[in-house]
Amino acid sequence: MSTAATYRGRLAPSPTGRLHLGHACTFWTAYLRAQEQKGVLVLRDEDLDPQRSKPEYAEAMLEDLKWLGIEWQEGPDIGGPFAPYRQSLRREFYLDAWRKLRDSGAIYPCTCSRKELALATTAPNDVDDEPLYPGRCRNKAEEASRYEFPAGVNWRFRVSDAEVIEFADQHQGSQSYVAGRDFGDFVVWRRDDVPAYQLAVVVDDAAMRVTEVVRGADLLKSTARQLLLLRSLGLPVPRYFHCGLVRDTFGARLAKRHDALSLRALRQLGQSPAEVLSLCNGGQS
Ligand code: GLU
């Protein structure tokens, strides 16, 4: 008798600040979906950025999630078959992917300075998003093979202009993005030798056998980029479920700067996990 593949979900917080109500709602959804499917939930500490990540935030993050009642079966605190579950300890996996992309010509070294980029790029509509790269270093593809290691330049993934990337989101319905219009050649490895989020996340989701990615709708466009990376690396494509975003009373998306809505602050005000989670309902559709 055949059995369906085990559901594997993940929680992937970055320890760059306190978790807030928006995180609580998304992670609760991820938890419920894994529970409903009798699946496994993986906690991955996305502490890639050495400047912004802090061990005290990583600790607080685990504690806040436990306080909410979320349980995971693999993670930095308990181990598991795909350890380590902390991105700062997974550099070899990312380097391996970088080498594959370099060898196949999918990425190129970009030497544009910050200043040049600021002058030449078009600001995206979404302030948090990477600006559209005008393609100045695209002709440097042949130089890629000269680099044994990525450090010192930005490495960009070359998108095919006008390619339409479509996917069916489990929550938001069908999605369609156009490469070169909605996003340009994006960074996969930073000049300061830090792998970019887009690369690390696809490498890890595949390595940890994630079957469904549950995260906030602010990452929908990143999913389109990630689908291109998965294809280039020959990795399996998970399902995607993008939760609606929780907004503050002024309609702005919650960010880590919203300290008043951090789980810590709500907890200190005497709110119970159930009361906190009851605030989610409106934001998840
Ligand atoms: N670590 C990312 C963040 O906190 C989320 C990554 C993801 O879920 O793909 O924004």
Side-chain angles (χ1 to χ4, degrees):
M1 206 172 68
S2 71
T3 49
T6 309
Y7 178 103
R8 289 181 58 88
R10 58 21 160 222
L11 310 167
S14 301
T16 54
R18 297 280 189 213
L19 295 188
H20 56 61
L21 181 61
H23 296 114
C25 301
T26 297
F27 292 146
W28 186 253
T29 304
Y31 170 62
L32 289 184
R33 287 184 69 78
Q35 287 261 300
E36 277 160 19
Q37 307 287 322
K38 300 195 178 25
V40 170
L41 196 57
V42 174
L43 182 104
R44 187 168 69 229
D45 179 355
E46 299 218 322
D47 62 343
L48 262 190
D49 191 327
Q51 254 93 54
R52 295 176 59 222
S53 303
K54 303 257 180 312
E56 56 270 31
Y57 287 139
E59 249 170 68
M61 189 165 91
L62 299 196
E63 207 202 298
D64 286 347
L65 291 170
K66 284 182 187 153
W67 174 77
L68 276 173
I70 293 176
E71 288 163 15
W72 51 94
Q73 289 71 47
E74 295 171 25
D77 52 338
I78 42 180
F82 305 110
Y85 293 89
R86 191 159 273 141
Q87 288 192 323
S88 57
L89 302 175
R90 299 181 60 78
R91 188 179 161 86
E92 279 312 311
F93 294 90
Y94 312 138
L95 259 183
D96 205 44
W98 172 80
R99 280 192 202 101
K100 286 195 181 114
L101 294 169
R102 177 202 60 189
D103 294 349
S104 70
I107 55 174
Y108 60 85
C110 170
T111 51
C112 292
S113 68
R114 245 188 227 134
K115 200 167 157 200
E116 283 166 331
L117 286 177
L119 289 173
T121 53
T122 328
N125 297 334
D126 178 350
V127 285
D128 290 340
D129 207 3
E130 199 175 315
L132 281 184
Y133 179 64
R136 205 172 136 253
C137 293
R138 268 190 163 183
N139 56 4
K140 295 207 169 123
E142 313 85 64
E143 291 175 26
S145 59
R146 284 199 229 136
Y147 289 78
E148 204 182 332
F149 292 101
V153 291
N154 284 316
W155 286 84
R156 291 184 184 276
F157 183 93
R158 184 196 183 104
V159 302
S160 304
D161 289 330
E163 179 180 353
V164 179
I165 298 119
E166 290 174 324
F167 62 98
D169 188 76
Q170 304 290 309
H171 189 53
Q172 310 276 345
S174 47
Q175 303 292 313
S176 175
Y177 294 93
V178 179
R181 184 197 74 187
D182 294 324
F183 58 89
D185 293 356
F186 54 94
V187 175
V188 298
W189 203 286
R190 287 170 16 187
R191 179 195 329 259
D192 59 358
D193 205 16
V194 177
Y197 156 70
Q198 309 289 359
L199 181 68
V201 83
V202 300
V203 167
D204 286 346
D205 285 338
M208 296 175 184
R209 312 280 194 274
V210 168
T211 59
E212 183 176 80
V213 169
V214 177
R215 60 184 170 201
D218 52 326
L219 289 168
L220 275 165
K221 215 192 280 181
S222 280
T223 297
R225 294 180 175 103
Q226 290 168 24
L227 287 169
L228 296 178
L229 272 178
L230 289 167
R231 185 175 71 192
S232 279
L233 289 165
L235 294 172
V237 176
R239 282 188 305 275
Y240 294 97
F241 184 109
H242 288 84
C243 301
L245 300 177
V246 179
R247 299 188 180 273
D248 68 10
T249 43
F250 303 102
R253 169 157 75 79
L254 292 192
K256 286 187 172 131
R257 60 184 177 272
H258 283 77
D259 244 9
L261 287 171
S262 73
L263 295 184
R264 266 321 139 94
L266 293 169
R267 187 169 155 186
Q268 274 157 13
L269 283 172
Q271 299 250 329
S272 69
E275 282 166 332
V276 169
L277 291 169
S278 73
L279 300 171
C280 293
N281 299 335
Q284 293 300 284
S285 51

